[in-house]
Amino acid sequence: MNKLKNNLSKYISIDDISIRIEGIAAQLSEIFYDDIPIFIGILNGSFIFLSDLIRKVNFECEIDFIKVASYDGIETTGKIILDKDINLDIKNKRVIIVEDIIDSGLTINYLYKHILSYNPKDISIVTLLSKKDNYNLNFDIDVIGFEITTEFVVGYGLDLNQRFRQLDCLYKLKP
Ligand code: IMP
Ligand code: MG
């Protein structure tokens, strides 16, 4: 594990992530206390964030996953491929999309429209990280964990070519 972190520098600690998740969970709990919304986690990156978040909310929920691919290394390929669609029926249901990070906005733009096409009652979007200087969307991102700079980050579910997802918190690549 130490060798694994050789070229990484710690960016956001597990304590800071936990505190922020408590805040996000409280915010969602005020909105959804009387509902049973469906969390839709965007695979693979959101799996750790989603699992921590759902254990902090105080309302019932259902959980599904969707999977797309757009990245190759640290560059987006600009093409979105739907690898795995949702399985639950979300028609007239409240949906909470959970993303690890919004960078160019391409992925969330594609998925928002895709999920909207199933006619849910409403859609909320929660992302752990946001590089807001990189995207321009014509819908709102309802909850942002942390606004970050445009550097590439790994850990806590986020990868570089599928590696580093298991790291306990968020790291930057050393230049
Ligand atoms: P977008 O389509 O450009 O917004 O990119 C969104 C997806 O790219 C996210 O779901 C991540 O999987 C990946 N991504 C973007 N930036 C980073 C990063 O800094 N680290 C790891 N993955 C990233
Ligand atoms: Mg991803």
Side-chain angles (χ1 to χ4, degrees), residues 8-162:
L8 305 175
S9 55
K10 197 177 258 195
Y11 182 45
I12 303 179
S13 72
I14 189 63
D15 285 353
D16 287 346
I17 294 170
S18 301
I19 290 165
R20 189 67 190 100
I21 288 177
E22 297 269 359
I24 295 170
Q27 196 177 338
L28 293 178
S29 296
E30 276 185 20
I31 301 168
F32 295 103
Y33 67 95
D34 219 7
D35 283 299
I36 306 178
I38 301 174
F39 281 98
I40 300 179
I42 304 178
L43 292 173
N44 292 331
S46 75
F47 78 112
I48 295 180
F49 175 45
L50 179 73
S51 70
D52 282 348
L53 180 62
I54 55 174
R55 287 178 292 173
K56 295 290 178 194
V57 300
N58 68 6
F59 50 86
E60 272 190 72
C61 66
E62 296 176 28
I63 296 152
D64 202 349
F65 292 95
I66 197 162
K67 184 170 184 182
V68 293
S70 69
Y71 265 67
D72 184 16
I74 62 168
E75 300 288 339
T76 178
T77 62
K79 269 191 324 225
I80 305 283
I81 299 155
L82 187 64
D83 272 354
K84 181 219 166 291
D85 206 348
I86 51 171
N87 295 104
L88 295 177
D89 180 5
I90 62 169
K91 191 162 191 279
N92 295 323
K93 302 278 183 65
R94 304 193 77 180
V95 163
I96 306 169
I97 301 176
V98 179
E99 175 62 304
D100 55 352
I101 183 165
I102 301 176
D103 183 3
S104 70
L106 216 64
T107 305
I108 197 65
N109 189 51
Y110 172 91
L111 284 178
Y112 178 79
K113 286 177 186 155
H114 177 76
I115 289 167
L116 196 61
S117 75
Y118 290 123
N119 297 311
K121 186 170 171 193
D122 59 26
I123 299 175
S124 300
I125 301 174
V126 178
T127 186
L128 178 64
L129 302 168
S130 153
K131 299 180 182 174
K132 76 169 185 316
D133 294 339
N134 285 6
Y135 64 84
N136 182 12
L137 297 164
N138 53 16
F139 51 86
D140 290 335
I141 305 302
D142 302 275
V143 183
I144 291 169
F146 301 93
E147 284 291 356
I148 64 167
T149 56
T150 58
E151 288 153 289
F152 203 80
V153 296
V154 296
Y156 197 72
L158 286 86
D159 71 305
L160 173 59
N161 289 332
Q162 302 306 325

